[in-house]
Amino acid sequence: MVEVLDLGFQGAQRVIASFLLRTKEGPILIETGPESTYPRLVAALGERGVAPEEVRHVFVTHIHLDHAGAAWRFAELGATVYVHPKGASHLVDPSRLLASAERIYGDGLKALWGEVRGIPEERVRPLADGEVVEVGGVRVQALETLGHAGHHLSLIHISEPTRQ
């Protein structure tokens, strides 16, 4: 079962969300939202009995700040962050991403999206089109779905069949 974690972006409901999958090896998080909503994400996880440091696997559909802006927070706690191969270098060194966002949002950048830091390369795991990652009996498949971004993945949650 996928649990939706509403991040209350800018005080509004149903604008930005993260998604929690529970596995035998601990929780998986899909999307982190922006770092500006990290306190709400931590609270939402806590409401479900999950501490941020328990999240060892974070999948992001793409690197835009509203989807992956807080990924570095989980990487600092030891999580692996899964991303499209073209997005991986931008998670490691977000300087180009931030420069682009600064041109768009100007002085409002930090208030909207929060702080952004690079993720150590060993914590970033590029996902190939069609690749399946298994964690604790749950499989997540990455499908390249370019359009919104040239580094976009759709993630398919595949539950293991119940054994009789």
Side-chain angles (χ1 to χ4, degrees):
M1 180 176 96
V2 177
E3 298 175 57
V4 178
L5 311 177
D6 191 310
L7 301 182
F9 180 68
Q10 300 287 295
Q13 300 301 303
R14 301 174 62 103
V15 174
I16 296 178
S18 293
F19 306 91
L20 179 65
L21 296 173
R22 296 178 189 266
T23 80
K24 295 174 202 163
E25 293 177 22
I28 292 173
L29 191 64
I30 297 178
E31 309 285 50
T32 65
E35 195 270 343
S36 62
T37 63
Y38 183 71
R40 176 63 198 128
L41 177 53
V42 169
L45 288 168
E47 290 162 9
R48 288 155 181 85
V50 175
E53 55 273 6
E54 292 178 78
V55 177
R56 311 311 288 166
H57 303 274
V58 173
F59 291 78
V60 295
T61 58
H62 60 297
I63 61 166
H64 293 167
L65 300 178
D66 55 333
H67 291 261
W72 66 271
R73 291 278 200 169
F74 290 92
E76 279 193 340
L77 297 172
T80 297
V81 180
Y82 301 83
V83 64
H84 189 284
K86 289 181 184 173
S89 65
H90 297 286
L91 291 181
V92 173
D93 176 6
S95 58
R96 286 183 51 209
L97 178 64
L98 285 172
S100 175
E102 243 174 31
R103 284 191 300 273
I104 296 167
Y105 300 106
D107 293 339
L109 176 67
K110 187 156 183 156
L112 284 170
W113 310 117
E115 185 176 355
V116 178
R117 294 185 192 169
I119 297 173
E121 192 170 358
E122 64 273 10
R123 292 263 160 239
V124 176
R125 169 83 155 60
L127 287 175
D129 182 33
E131 186 173 352
V132 176
V133 175
E134 184 170 341
V135 177
V138 171
R139 295 181 300 156
V140 176
Q141 184 176 26
L143 297 177
E144 189 173 70
T145 50
L146 309 181
H148 172 67
H151 53 274
H152 194 278
L153 295 172
S154 288
L155 300 165
I156 300 173
H157 167 237
I158 307 167
S159 294
E160 286 295 301
T162 305
R163 296 194 191 339
Q164 298 287 337

